[in-house]
Amino acid sequence: MSTTTARLVNHQCRLAARPVGAPRPEDWQFTTEPVADAGPGGLVLQVLAISLDPAMRGWMNEGRSYIAPVGLGEVMRAGGIGRVIASGHADFAVGDLVSGLTGVQEYLVLPAERIAQAGLARIDLALGSVPQWLNVLGMPGMTAYFGLIEVGLPKAGETLVVSGAAGAVGQTVGQLARLRGLRVVGIAGGPAKCDWVVRELGFDACIDYKAPAPAGATRWDPVREGLKRHCPAGVDVYFDNVGGEILDTVLTRINPRARIVICGAISQYNATGPVAGPRNYLSLLVNRARMEGMVVFDYADRYHLAIAEMAGYLKDGRMKSREDVVEGGVAAFPSTLPRLFSGENFGKLVLKIAD
């Protein structure tokens, strides 16, 4: 069944220039164009919401990476949720809700030959809300699940530390680790976030990396002091989302055979100089420890298994999720994305495009 798209207009946000440092308003271009017919076997989606993720900053850069950069003039890449409004494809019906790479735009037109590369999959709102399908049941949740289980190799009784603990990936990592019997210590910015991950998510402790120095302190490193207090027996698994000084500090506290999961380095993404690498990497040698990067797309053939498990946790209350949903549609994208890098967002950052 097909629905006409002849009168629909698509508003899009395109990459106009490669940012130097933090993205600026002039790095974006807004365009308007009619919504085309997708042709035989194609699909047209109305985009409902998009996921704003730290990885977007890397996608804007030119150079070799795990995925091709967004081209200048192209619609900015983004994962999202959409509703099928026109379909000539046997696997998708008008009205279906789907997740996939929608881009920062109001409509996605997919000719038959492009459907596979969009990674579309139907979603079931009985398992979670649209924002949750961009969080714990979406790419951040898959990152947390496979990064922890496949790379972190958690064992009951061990101590896990996760940075960015109140963010999309961090909140799920900590809860999964608790469900597997680990002691969980988060690192987050500000007392409100730290209080939330302990009281609401069940972390054993949370270190506020922004904590002010106590009176009389001459040398103050809140992460170092927090690790001494909350990880007296050392760190067995570190799930790193921020890089930089925090990664360096945690490396001084790891145990023999520790596993460090390199998921992201949000503290470095807007750097205009060389990326700050770990100065304390010799701790890996001394402790026979392992540091390994992970990219979630490597596990795409098993997403359904992680979704089924974590949907069960959401349903029975053993897992919670928090989303920071911003209104404003496509036009709000340039002003909303920087919230990821300032720490202004509280939970998974989602941009609402349509009802």
Side-chain angles (χ1 to χ4, degrees):
M1 178 179 179
S2 181
T3 299
T4 181
T5 60
R7 297 184 180 181
L8 297 178
V9 175
N10 190 13
H11 296 91
Q12 304 158 313
C13 183
R14 298 176 181 269
L15 185 65
R18 300 209 180 276
V20 177
R24 303 164 301 168
E26 53 265 40
D27 295 326
W28 306 107
Q29 175 190 14
F30 290 98
T31 56
T32 301
E33 61 182 37
V35 176
D37 188 293
L43 295 173
V44 179
L45 308 182
Q46 180 187 21
V47 181
L48 304 181
I50 60 172
S51 173
L52 275 65
D53 300 291
M56 286 176 154
R57 182 61 189 83
W59 299 342
M60 300 174 204
N61 295 334
E62 203 166 25
R64 182 176 176 271
S65 186
Y66 62 88
I67 190 171
V70 177
L72 294 179
E74 289 183 356
V75 173
M76 180 59 198
R77 181 184 295 136
I81 302 295
R83 178 188 294 111
V84 178
I85 62 169
S87 176
H89 196 285
D91 293 340
F92 299 97
V94 170
D96 282 350
L97 291 176
V98 298
S99 64
L101 290 174
T102 62
V104 184
Q105 57 187 342
E106 294 175 338
Y107 295 93
L108 174 64
V109 179
L110 285 172
E113 65 272 15
R114 287 181 49 212
I115 290 176
Q117 70 187 79
L120 298 185
R122 281 191 299 274
I123 68 168
D124 183 355
L125 293 187
L127 302 181
S129 65
V130 166
Q132 286 175 328
W133 274 99
L134 292 175
N135 187 14
V136 65
L137 301 179
M139 190 186 301
M142 302 303 98
T143 301
Y145 185 94
F146 291 105
L148 176 65
I149 306 305
E150 297 290 332
V151 183
L153 304 175
K155 303 179 184 67
E158 291 186 323
T159 294
L160 173 135
V161 173
V162 56
S163 55
V169 174
Q171 60 178 269
T172 302
V173 167
Q175 292 180 90
L176 284 171
R178 286 288 292 148
L179 287 167
R180 282 163 170 73
L182 281 74
R183 172 176 172 78
V184 176
V185 177
I187 301 174
K193 291 181 179 180
C194 288
D195 184 70
W196 178 71
V197 300
V198 172
R199 293 181 181 273
E200 294 295 323
L201 303 187
F203 285 33
D204 295 282
C206 191
I207 300 165
D208 181 1
Y209 73 87
K210 296 181 178 179
T218 56
R219 183 174 180 271
W220 174 245
D221 181 339
V223 176
R224 186 180 302 277
E225 297 303 317
L227 291 171
K228 288 180 182 177
R229 177 182 176 187
H230 298 299
C231 306
V235 177
D236 299 296
V237 183
Y238 175 48
F239 198 107
D240 184 34
N241 292 304
V242 302
E245 293 291 336
I246 291 178
L247 169 59
D248 249 338
T249 302
V250 176
L251 284 173
T252 68
R253 304 291 300 177
I254 61 174
N255 286 331
R257 306 296 179 185
R259 287 83 67 201
I260 294 89
V261 184
I262 302 298
C263 174
I266 197 169
S267 71
Q268 304 298 305
Y269 290 161
N270 288 324
T272 55
V275 171
R279 294 187 301 271
N280 295 323
Y281 77 95
L282 286 179
S283 182
L284 300 171
L285 170 64
V286 172
N287 289 289
R288 293 81 159 172
R290 176 170 55 82
M291 180 185 291
E292 183 176 344
M294 72 84 56
V295 174
V296 67
F297 303 129
D298 294 343
Y299 305 94
D301 61 338
R302 288 190 281 157
Y303 286 175
H304 64 287
L305 300 175
I307 289 169
E309 181 176 333
M310 293 197 290
Y313 297 149
L314 286 173
K315 185 174 182 180
D316 65 21
R318 285 186 288 171
M319 180 174 284
K320 299 178 181 180
S321 68
R322 178 167 179 155
E323 295 80 36
D324 189 340
V325 181
V326 176
E327 307 256 350
V330 169
F333 175 75
S335 61
T336 304
L337 182 65
R339 295 177 58 169
L340 287 171
F341 307 105
S342 65
E344 185 181 347
N345 64 300
F346 195 157
K348 172 73 192 84
L349 190 57
V350 174
L351 181 60
K352 181 179 176 182
I353 306 297
D355 290 326

